Amino acid sequence: MVEEASSGAKQNRKAKGEAWEWLKALGIAVILALLIRTFLFAPVLVSGSSMMPTLEDGERLIVSKLIYYIQSPKHGDIIVFHATEEKDYIKRVIATEGQTVEYRNDQLYIDGKPVDEPYLQQYKKEAKAAGYDVLTKDFREEKIPPGHIFVMGDNRRNSTDSRMIGPVPVNKVVGRSEFVIWPLNKIKFN
């Protein structure tokens, strides 16, 4: 009888030890997930059409939060930034601090030099086919202040961006869009 009690106690200790190991593993996994989400990567849902045709409403992105601790945003990056306390926007970086930006006759100029925007070619053709003279309306030259960037949505006719809200402080940038993860048939790197 003593042997049976001793065997039951061993099994009970073994079960408690195994449960404790599972709890520790689960706790470590939760902590790692929180650290990764807070400091490295975050999933983001595209809401709206301001980045079409590059990004569509309902797509899910992975945003790198760490990248801008290593380097500054650069022309062409697709970024997520805090537009208001409650809302984040997804836009493309057009110009960075110290640069001047201007649009004339559907052509982007940075520091007075024309800049190609290959990501807009499809949309420009669609805009002309729909009867619009230009995809992007002209705006006067603007110099980007220190610590700011100028951003625009790829859907230039339907985007609230730096043309309306002004240059965006770099400290409001959440991170850079790295790739689309959903829907599965739209997986791509940005």
Side-chain angles (χ1 to χ4, degrees):
M1 202 171 256
V2 173
E3 248 179 66
E4 286 177 23
S6 172
S7 173
K10 282 182 184 177
Q11 285 179 339
N12 194 18
R13 279 194 304 265
K14 183 178 177 185
K16 284 182 181 178
E18 194 171 307
W20 175 244
E21 290 301 318
W22 275 103
L23 281 173
K24 284 194 310 189
L26 183 61
I28 290 170
V30 167
I31 289 168
L32 284 174
L34 286 172
L35 288 172
I36 289 169
R37 180 146 168 43
T38 302
F39 298 108
L40 300 178
F41 300 101
V44 172
L45 174 66
V46 176
S47 178
S49 63
S50 73
M51 282 300 293
M52 284 183 63
T54 307
L55 300 173
E56 295 182 22
D57 186 41
E59 290 182 340
R60 294 189 182 274
L61 315 171
I62 293 295
V63 172
S64 169
K65 292 181 165 188
L66 182 64
I67 190 72
Y68 294 133
Y69 290 109
I70 300 168
Q71 66 184 41
S72 297
K74 62 183 187 301
H75 173 79
D77 287 355
I78 297 173
I79 64 160
V80 174
F81 66 95
H82 300 305
T84 67
E85 292 280 330
E86 304 84 32
K87 190 146 178 93
D88 290 346
Y89 284 178
I90 302 170
K91 305 293 177 194
R92 188 179 297 274
V93 176
I94 300 300
T96 58
E97 68 178 4
Q99 294 181 317
T100 58
V101 61
E102 177 184 18
Y103 240 95
R104 279 183 281 132
N105 302 319
D106 220 16
Q107 174 65 55
L108 170 65
Y109 293 89
I110 304 237
D111 294 332
K113 297 179 183 133
V115 175
D116 188 33
E117 295 180 286
Y119 44 85
L120 292 182
Q121 294 310 315
Q122 172 192 343
Y123 229 46
K124 283 183 177 186
K125 288 177 189 173
E126 291 173 11
K128 288 198 191 278
Y132 296 107
D133 292 333
V134 295
L135 177 64
T136 309
K137 292 181 181 177
D138 291 357
F139 60 86
R140 286 183 279 147
E141 186 176 282
E142 180 173 354
K143 185 169 177 112
I144 312 308
H148 289 72
I149 54 177
F150 191 93
V151 298
M152 293 173 73
D154 289 356
N155 185 355
R156 302 290 168 79
R157 300 187 74 74
N158 185 25
S159 176
T160 302
D161 50 40
S162 288
R163 294 172 292 176
M164 294 91 190
I165 64 173
V168 174
V170 173
N171 65 4
K172 297 281 186 185
V173 175
V174 174
R176 180 176 74 189
S177 170
E178 297 297 333
F179 53 93
V180 175
I181 60 169
W182 186 263
L184 294 176
N185 65 336
K186 302 268 182 143
I187 291 177
K188 65 182 175 186
F189 287 91
N190 289 330

